[in-house]
């Protein structure tokens, strides 16, 4: 790609994106977040022709890109995930004086859909203790379902919990891996403590503190895709057609509020950066 000048600095659009991503990595953004930025900005560059300079990025181009995403992608949620990446980059470019004036990137509005949650009948099927003869995967998946329903943790958090993080005697878990980068202690209710005692005695009694609470069949760390696949197989095996791991988190939020919980506390439990996001959940 030919070199392009931005404010006579000699940097190409691609080089600025590389600088932007390196800064996000230095600031401790997760690998997943950085890759999402990279994908969003690559998509925009392709739409703009690949050799666009910052001086050529204007309101008309951004509006055309918004329409392109809206027509191409299945929902405004998908489109907005890419627009957020572009918005973050343009803000960075302005803060670093590569842009003479800020460029606004508005999110696409769309009809919000009611969040999928599990019914009481479905939860009974999912939370019922496995047969004693059940294999490791069945017991682990049962424990995972109970864990998310008892804590509201994201799957990315669940796969990082180690045995040393769980204090069943005091009914707490130390969450060290969250999307918001914060380390916090979360309570475990008596029902979940009982479930975890049963699971650990059955499947993890010989494991060390550094080992994962919910490992794969080889004892290593599960991936996000692996946990989604595990929930899918487990739910179908229990006769439940819903198979979303994330819907368990929405169900946790719904039941928490229905049982008298407050929104501020729910925000902390869910690890949301804003109260508005927690309100959106419920």
């Amino acid at each position: 790609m030919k070199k392009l000048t931005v404010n006579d600095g000699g940097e190409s659009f691609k080089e600025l994106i590389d600088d932007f991503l390196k800064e996000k990595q230095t600031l401790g953004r997760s690998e997943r977040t950085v890759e999402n930025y990279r994908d969003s900005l690559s998509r925009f560059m392709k739409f703009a022709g690949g050799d666009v300079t910052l001086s050529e990025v204007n309101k008309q181009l951004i509006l055309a890109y918004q329409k392109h995403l809206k027509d191409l992608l299945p929902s405004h949620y998908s489109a907005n995930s890419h627009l957020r990446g572009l918005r973050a980059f343009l803000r960075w470019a302005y803060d670093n004086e590569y842009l003479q004036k800020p460029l606004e990137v508005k999110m696409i509005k769309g009809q919000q859909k009611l969040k999928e949650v599990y019914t009481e009948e479905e939860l009974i099927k999912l939370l019922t203790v496995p047969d004693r003869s059940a294999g490791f995967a069945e017991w682990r998946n049962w424990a995972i379902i109970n864990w998310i329903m008892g804590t509201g943790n994201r799957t990315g958090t669940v796969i990082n919990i180690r045995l040393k993080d769980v204090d069943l005697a005091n009914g707490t878990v130390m969450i060290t891996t969250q999307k918001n980068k914060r380390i916090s202690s979360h309570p475990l209710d008596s029902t979940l403590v009982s479930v975890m005692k049963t699971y650990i005695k059955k499947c993890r009694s010989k494991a060390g503190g550094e080992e994962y609470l919910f490992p794969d069949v080889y004892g290593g760390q599960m991936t996000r895709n692996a946990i989604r696949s595990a929930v899918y197989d487990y739910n179908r095996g229990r006769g439940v057609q819903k198979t979303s791991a994330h819907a368990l988190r929405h169900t946790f939020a719904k039941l928490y509020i229905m049982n008298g919980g407050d929104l501020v506390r729910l925000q902390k439990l869910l690890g949301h950066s804003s109260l508005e996001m927690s309100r959106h959940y419920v």
Side-chain angles (χ1 to χ4, degrees):
M1 188 174 91
K2 69 178 182 178
K3 289 284 185 177
L4 304 169
T5 59
V6 181
N7 290 348
D8 297 325
E11 299 90 343
S12 71
F13 195 84
K14 182 179 184 302
E15 286 171 344
L16 286 177
I17 290 175
D18 290 340
D19 289 344
F20 167 76
L21 296 177
K22 287 177 183 177
E23 181 177 302
K24 295 304 178 183
Q25 289 174 322
T26 301
L27 293 174
R29 299 295 187 269
S30 70
E31 182 178 340
R32 187 182 183 189
T33 297
V34 172
E35 285 305 310
N36 286 342
Y37 281 140
R38 190 189 308 277
D39 179 56
S40 297
L41 295 172
S42 296
R43 184 184 288 264
F44 175 73
M45 282 184 63
K46 182 178 179 180
F47 171 79
D51 59 353
V52 64
T53 64
L54 277 179
S55 62
E56 294 172 314
V57 178
N58 52 36
K59 182 178 180 180
Q60 288 70 34
L61 179 59
I62 293 172
L63 287 173
Y65 183 56
Q66 289 173 321
K67 184 178 186 305
H68 167 73
L69 290 177
K70 186 176 181 181
D71 293 341
L72 179 68
L73 299 174
S75 72
H76 69 285
Y77 297 110
S78 300
N80 286 341
S81 68
H82 292 294
L83 290 174
R84 289 189 189 95
L86 177 62
R87 180 174 64 182
F89 171 73
L90 292 177
R91 283 178 177 173
W92 173 87
Y94 175 71
D95 290 341
N96 286 275
E97 300 182 353
Y98 293 115
L99 280 174
Q100 296 294 330
K101 59 181 180 179
L103 282 171
E104 185 178 17
V105 179
K106 294 183 178 180
M107 296 298 103
I108 297 171
K109 293 183 178 181
Q111 180 64 44
Q112 290 191 353
K113 296 180 180 179
L114 188 65
K115 297 297 182 182
E116 180 182 58
V117 295
Y118 288 87
T119 66
E120 182 178 354
E121 291 75 19
E122 289 169 333
L123 289 176
I124 290 173
K125 293 179 180 179
L126 296 177
L127 301 178
T128 299
V129 183
D131 294 334
R132 291 188 177 183
S133 59
F136 167 75
E138 178 79 5
W139 280 98
R140 181 204 60 197
N141 297 344
W142 167 75
I144 287 173
I145 297 292
N146 275 274
W147 184 272
I148 299 177
M149 280 303 306
T151 64
N153 287 165
R154 297 179 176 90
T155 55
T157 296
V158 173
I159 63 176
N160 281 287
I161 297 173
R162 300 177 188 268
L163 283 161
K164 68 175 184 179
D165 299 328
V166 182
D167 182 357
L168 295 181
N170 292 305
T172 61
V173 59
M174 187 63 66
I175 302 297
T176 60
T177 307
Q178 297 190 92
K179 193 174 181 181
N180 60 17
K181 300 292 183 181
R182 296 172 183 169
I183 297 176
S184 59
S185 177
H186 288 213
L188 306 176
D189 66 28
S190 58
T191 299
L192 184 55
V193 168
S194 178
V195 166
M196 298 316 299
K197 285 181 177 179
T198 300
Y199 163 67
I200 291 173
K201 181 179 180 180
K202 180 77 175 178
C203 301
R204 308 297 288 145
S205 59
K206 297 180 181 180
E210 291 292 334
E211 295 187 54
Y212 293 105
L213 179 61
F214 305 112
D216 61 23
V217 294
Y218 303 106
Q221 185 180 28
M222 297 182 77
T223 63
R224 286 186 176 87
N225 285 336
I227 202 170
R228 293 187 191 108
S229 178
V231 171
Y232 178 93
D233 292 340
Y234 177 85
N235 288 15
R236 287 299 177 90
R238 292 285 181 116
V240 175
Q241 296 305 304
K242 292 190 186 79
T243 58
S244 169
H246 199 65
L248 292 167
R249 192 164 141 87
H250 285 294
T251 307
F252 164 82
K254 172 188 173 182
L255 294 178
Y256 182 84
I257 294 298
M258 288 179 65
N259 289 323
D262 67 275
L263 201 57
V264 174
R265 179 58 180 162
L266 178 63
Q267 178 190 352
K268 295 179 180 179
L269 292 174
L270 294 176
H272 286 154
S273 58
S274 69
L275 197 62
E276 184 58 34
M277 179 58 72
S278 300
R279 185 178 290 110
H280 176 64
Y281 262 55
V282 298

